[in-house]
Amino acid sequence: MDNNYRAQGLSLRLGKRQVIDQVSLTLRGGEMTALIGPNGAGKSTLLRLLTGFLTPDSGERMMDGKALERWSPQALSRRRAVMSQRTQLQADWTVETVIAMGRSPWEATASPQTLHDIMAETGCDHLRGRRYPSLSGGEQQRVQLARCLAQLWQNGAPQGWLFLDEPTSALDLYYQQHLLRLLKRLTASGQLHVCVVLHDLNLACGPTRFCCCTRDRWSRRARRIRLSSRKSLAAGTARTCASASIRKKRFHRFIWRPERHARPA
């Protein structure tokens, strides 16, 4: 099995606006890739295309060597989970019920041990028994992450592709770091593959690879994804994306200086 996600020549026009224009990229299995950039750079739209929530006007998407359109809804749900930027859920359900919803593609009730393990991993164990609408925004985000992991949970661990759109936006500093460390550790097994949209570049130090997007037309010759008139500056490691040539060009307001934010190994 091809353990990669490949997109080739994706384009999308909404009305008169060309939102995505000939985007090509590869997400490698067992890695965590961050899409970073300012508002309006096209990160969330690209994520919706990659997950199948939007259909491109042209181009192809291949997950595990198979075209995304050829996956049945059930098979795709078992292999790919998505945490949206905003999840509206008004039902007066308990936290455990919301997390257990992730098991619906498997047509089986989540076992108490599975729920316990997932809630412990995501820091939701102390929320047991509480009603979802009563939770804070950050607590709801953690519950939604747990639901996505439950959707991919097999043989004691999540397996498949996890796409997250700004999963740290409502979290405090502790849980922001906790979430990124958790995802990094889970991808280390090689069975979980993560693509996450982030705005905070300090948090983005955690992922293995980066795709930096900007609204400007300037772009590098290096590996890149092109987002309509909003082209990415670079893709690769933190050193690549924080190079002096980028800092002095269009991305200087958004990029960080690695020597100022170095973290111990």
Side-chain angles (χ1 to χ4, degrees):
M1 177 185 292
D2 183 1
N3 203 27
N4 291 322
Y5 186 112
R6 304 180 190 276
Q8 184 66 39
L10 297 183
S11 294
L12 179 68
R13 177 180 290 274
L14 297 177
K16 297 182 179 180
R17 182 167 171 249
Q18 188 71 40
V19 183
I20 301 293
D21 185 18
Q22 293 296 307
V23 170
S24 298
L25 75 159
T26 298
L27 304 177
R28 301 170 184 170
E31 289 187 347
M32 179 161 59
T33 300
L35 302 179
I36 59 178
N39 292 331
K43 305 180 301 298
S44 295
T45 301
L46 176 60
L47 199 75
R48 294 187 188 103
L49 284 173
L50 296 176
T51 56
F53 282 35
L54 291 176
T55 301
D57 298 327
S58 61
E60 62 178 9
R61 299 160 295 178
M62 304 288 292
M63 187 175 73
D64 295 339
K66 182 178 178 180
L68 200 64
E69 295 77 10
R70 294 180 56 196
W71 288 79
S72 68
Q74 184 181 46
L76 185 60
S77 296
R78 291 181 174 183
R79 189 64 180 156
R80 182 271 290 134
V82 183
M83 180 176 167
S84 302
Q85 192 174 124
R86 300 177 184 85
T87 302
Q88 300 295 329
L89 180 60
Q90 301 300 325
D92 190 28
W93 293 340
T94 64
V95 166
E96 297 94 313
T97 300
V98 175
I99 297 174
M101 287 171 56
R103 299 303 298 167
S104 57
W106 299 91
E107 300 177 348
T109 303
S111 69
Q113 185 60 47
T114 297
L115 281 178
H116 177 272
D117 293 344
I118 295 171
M119 293 178 72
E121 285 276 26
T122 54
C124 294
D125 42 359
H126 69 287
L127 302 176
R128 186 180 300 273
R130 293 188 52 188
R131 297 287 172 174
Y132 183 82
S134 71
L135 303 180
S136 68
E139 290 170 335
Q140 289 184 356
Q141 274 194 322
R142 300 208 303 275
V143 171
Q144 290 299 328
L145 173 63
R147 176 188 58 79
C148 290
L149 292 179
Q151 183 177 333
L152 300 176
W153 203 266
Q154 298 183 63
N155 302 319
Q159 301 179 28
W161 292 90
L162 179 60
F163 294 86
L164 308 167
D165 194 353
E166 297 189 45
T168 62
S169 60
L171 300 181
D172 60 33
L173 292 176
Y174 172 81
Y175 279 108
Q176 287 177 2
Q177 296 292 335
H178 177 271
L179 183 145
L180 270 297
R181 286 196 297 268
L182 170 63
L183 295 178
K184 186 75 172 178
R185 177 167 56 81
L186 292 176
T187 56
S189 67
Q191 298 300 312
L192 181 68
H193 328 302
V194 176
C195 180
V196 55
V197 171
L198 294 173
H199 275 295
D200 189 334
L201 296 178
N202 296 314
L203 291 175
C205 291
T208 307
R209 300 178 65 240
F210 303 82
C211 290
C212 297
C213 312
T214 179
R215 290 189 294 262
D216 296 314
R217 294 178 178 274
W218 181 85
S219 64
R220 289 172 59 96
R221 292 193 303 270
R223 291 171 297 166
R224 64 185 185 275
I225 51 176
R226 190 177 70 172
L227 301 181
S228 185
S229 59
R230 306 166 180 85
K231 298 183 181 180
S232 74
L233 293 176
T237 64
R239 182 175 297 276
T240 299
C241 294
S243 65
S245 61
I246 294 178
R247 291 204 309 270
K248 293 177 182 178
K249 294 287 185 176
R250 311 293 191 193
F251 211 69
H252 64 279
R253 289 179 299 170
F254 307 102
I255 210 71
W256 74 104
R257 295 180 181 272
E259 65 273 11
R260 295 184 180 177
H261 298 277
R263 297 183 177 179

